[in-house]
Amino acid sequence: MAINLMDSYGASLAWAAYDLQSRLYNILHGHQTDLSPGPYRGFMSSFHLQGTPEQREYVRRSTVFVLAEYLGWVEILRRDIQFLDLGQSRANRSAVTVISSIGTVLNRTSSADDVLRLWRAEQRAIGELMVHPDGEPGRRRCLGYAEFCEKLDGDDAFRRWFAPLLEDIDRLAGDTAQAALRLVELQQKLIILIDVLDPKAERFPHFRQQTSGTLGVRVAD
């Protein structure tokens, strides 16, 4: 049963990891674009700093959402598979190892960079909030984006957990450089997780490896 659940939930976790790493790539690549000569502006500059109020709010909410959705699927795996009962599957054990390392990156304390830092208990809490209340073991799902936005607007207790992250997106738009190292490492580990969950690239056939200096970066076409 654990292996079947991993097959089912692993697909959803892979998509959540893909969406989060894509947003991180857009932020990081946009920062590089901002620093280069020319008239072009990156993702944050175009849509958060210089965009319409609607675009700015979309950047804030959607960025927090893709992070929260990833944590939601991690929490679902924790509840239904129980990390200590993964059978003899090497892929399952590898996935848990990478998930743990991603949590470490999010949890890491640095005097120079606390943007998008979440303590382990905060990661769990946000994941718990993202699990849809109507689910049941083996058939759980996360809140969708519309449901997430509705709860941000109408549930003060829910919003309190996400308000610091929304503020972090504003800080990130103003100064991406301070968080770049954390974001690069986080994106790379998400790519490793996708490779573990989708080793034959069946779900992401256009997901390709690009190299920039000594850092490998994967982006969608």
Side-chain angles (χ1 to χ4, degrees):
M1 182 63 173
I3 293 177
N4 291 336
L5 282 175
M6 191 62 174
D7 288 344
S8 175
Y9 288 158
S12 297
L13 178 61
W15 276 108
Y18 178 82
D19 288 343
L20 178 53
Q21 76 82 28
S22 294
R23 177 54 55 89
L24 295 175
Y25 173 82
N26 287 338
I27 292 171
L28 291 164
H29 181 70
H31 174 59
Q32 294 175 348
T33 301
D34 289 339
L35 296 177
S36 63
Y40 303 106
R41 291 292 177 266
F43 176 77
M44 284 294 201
S45 293
S46 295
F47 301 111
H48 186 290
L49 297 179
Q50 300 175 14
T52 65
E54 292 79 12
Q55 290 172 333
R56 176 177 179 272
E57 191 61 16
Y58 172 76
V59 170
R60 299 174 78 240
R61 292 185 175 211
S62 63
T63 302
V64 171
F65 171 76
V66 293
L67 172 58
E69 184 185 33
Y70 165 79
L71 294 173
W73 282 110
V74 170
E75 179 61 24
I76 287 173
L77 284 173
R78 190 188 305 272
R79 291 183 183 186
D80 284 11
I81 294 181
Q82 298 299 318
F83 280 0
L84 297 180
D85 183 23
L86 292 173
Q88 299 303 312
S89 170
R90 180 179 299 177
N92 287 355
R93 294 196 302 271
S94 296
V96 170
T97 298
V98 180
I99 289 168
S100 178
S101 70
I102 290 170
T104 298
V105 175
L106 287 170
N107 179 65
R108 182 174 300 143
T109 300
S110 169
S111 59
D113 168 24
D114 62 355
V115 175
L116 297 183
R117 183 185 68 198
L118 289 169
W119 305 115
R120 296 236 179 224
E122 291 176 321
Q123 295 175 38
R124 288 289 308 274
I126 288 173
E128 290 166 4
L129 290 169
M130 290 298 294
V131 178
H132 199 285
D134 293 340
E136 59 185 30
R139 301 175 62 88
R140 299 190 201 274
R141 62 186 177 91
C142 284
L143 297 176
Y145 182 61
E147 295 168 311
F148 172 78
C149 290
E150 183 176 359
K151 289 183 74 68
L152 277 184
D153 292 333
D155 187 333
D156 289 341
F158 183 88
R159 183 180 176 85
R160 277 198 294 272
W161 283 100
F162 296 94
L165 290 175
L166 292 167
E167 293 173 1
D168 278 354
I169 302 306
D170 296 336
R171 294 168 58 197
L172 193 60
D175 183 10
T176 303
Q178 65 170 325
L181 289 178
R182 184 197 301 272
L183 300 189
V184 166
E185 185 175 3
L186 181 58
Q187 191 214 5
Q188 290 179 328
K189 290 187 178 297
L190 288 164
I191 290 168
I192 294 171
L193 179 60
I194 293 168
D195 283 339
V196 170
L197 296 172
D198 186 32
K200 297 181 180 179
E202 294 173 338
R203 298 186 181 97
F204 311 103
H206 301 298
F207 202 45
R208 69 174 183 267
Q209 183 79 31
Q210 292 186 342
T211 303
S212 175
T214 58
L215 299 177
V217 179
R218 275 193 171 173
V219 300
D221 284 341

